[in-house]
Amino acid sequence: MSVDGISQKRYEHMEELSGQLEEILRELFAAARLEQGDILVVGCSSSEVAGSAIGTYSSEEIGQRLFSVAYAFCEERGIYLACQCCEHLNRSLIVDRACMREHRLTRVNAVPQLKAGGAFATAAYRQMREPVAVEEIRAQAGIDIGDTLIGMHLAAVAVPVRTSRQTIGQAHVVCARTRPRYVGGSRAAYDESLAN
């Protein structure tokens, strides 16, 4: 049941959702070869996770749980988590102030809410150490939970990562890593360790 598109019931499978996200995070981290200071962007529709259409069943509970899992994972590895807001906030992102400073990101003025930003970004704004909203980033990897369209925030060149799990709850999941662009022509030589 939802009132004005906000979930009014408790989700029964929170531990299962946590495990699903952790599995995807581990596989993506290994494939992307993320380094300390890199950025992982995550877009998440709690509605889709719960089995409803995006934007119709925002679940604060799901947003908080999935954010907590992703944030702890990133902090343990020294990478930054960027949480994409929904289209009502022009897909701006919530990051820690340290990320904004290190990557010289442009700050914007927005405070995400369940129906204008989404449950995941709202949880980030409430739980990060020093949350700020920024306009855009160029992340080294990303997870799209529920077809939230994170591609605009990935550095070139984005490469799909096929994880063994393609869903969290009922939401479709797509992952990507990035690689440096090839430059030069037919005579150029490349560092093959950067190609894969």
Side-chain angles (χ1 to χ4, degrees):
M1 179 179 144
S2 72
V3 175
D4 296 325
I6 297 175
S7 170
Q8 300 298 309
K9 75 172 197 167
R10 294 190 56 81
Y11 194 77
E12 297 177 7
H13 307 288
M14 298 306 287
E15 289 303 319
E16 186 178 338
L17 296 181
S18 296
Q20 292 169 353
L21 179 54
E22 287 172 3
E23 180 182 343
I24 290 168
L25 283 163
R26 283 193 303 272
E27 289 183 31
L28 177 59
F29 183 80
R33 292 179 270 179
L34 295 172
E35 299 176 357
Q36 189 166 359
D38 283 348
I39 301 174
L40 170 68
V41 61
V42 176
C44 176
S45 168
S46 61
S47 300
E48 293 278 339
V49 172
S52 296
I54 194 168
T56 64
Y57 197 76
S58 296
S59 170
E60 188 171 6
E61 180 185 32
I62 291 172
Q64 287 176 354
R65 174 59 70 97
L66 294 180
F67 167 77
S68 295
V69 169
Y71 195 52
F73 182 93
C74 290
E75 284 206 314
E76 287 172 11
R77 290 154 181 83
I79 58 177
Y80 291 115
L81 176 63
C83 303
Q84 180 182 270
C85 297
C86 72
E87 74 275 11
H88 299 289
L89 295 184
N90 296 329
R91 301 203 192 287
S92 58
L93 305 116
I94 306 303
V95 299
D96 272 312
R97 183 183 300 273
C99 178
M100 179 187 74
R101 288 183 174 153
E102 183 174 334
H103 291 275
R104 299 179 176 266
L105 304 173
T106 301
R107 188 172 184 181
V108 294
N109 189 355
V111 176
Q113 308 293 312
L114 286 179
K115 295 305 294 175
F120 189 78
T122 299
Y125 197 83
R126 291 177 180 164
Q127 296 176 39
M128 279 184 172
R129 282 183 183 75
E130 290 187 87
V132 294
V134 298
E135 188 170 29
E136 62 182 353
I137 58 169
R138 292 290 169 252
Q140 288 69 48
I143 302 174
D144 187 325
I145 304 167
D147 302 318
T148 62
L149 303 176
I150 61 163
M152 65 190 285
H153 294 304
L154 290 171
V157 171
V159 179
V161 173
R162 305 282 187 232
T163 56
S164 56
R165 167 167 295 286
Q166 288 90 40
T167 59
I168 295 177
Q170 300 299 310
H172 177 241
V173 175
V174 175
C175 297
R177 63 176 177 84
T178 62
R179 66 158 174 80
R181 288 183 172 128
Y182 294 130
V183 295
S186 59
R187 293 193 224 178
Y190 300 105
D191 180 343
E192 292 303 318
S193 71
L194 299 176
N196 297 322

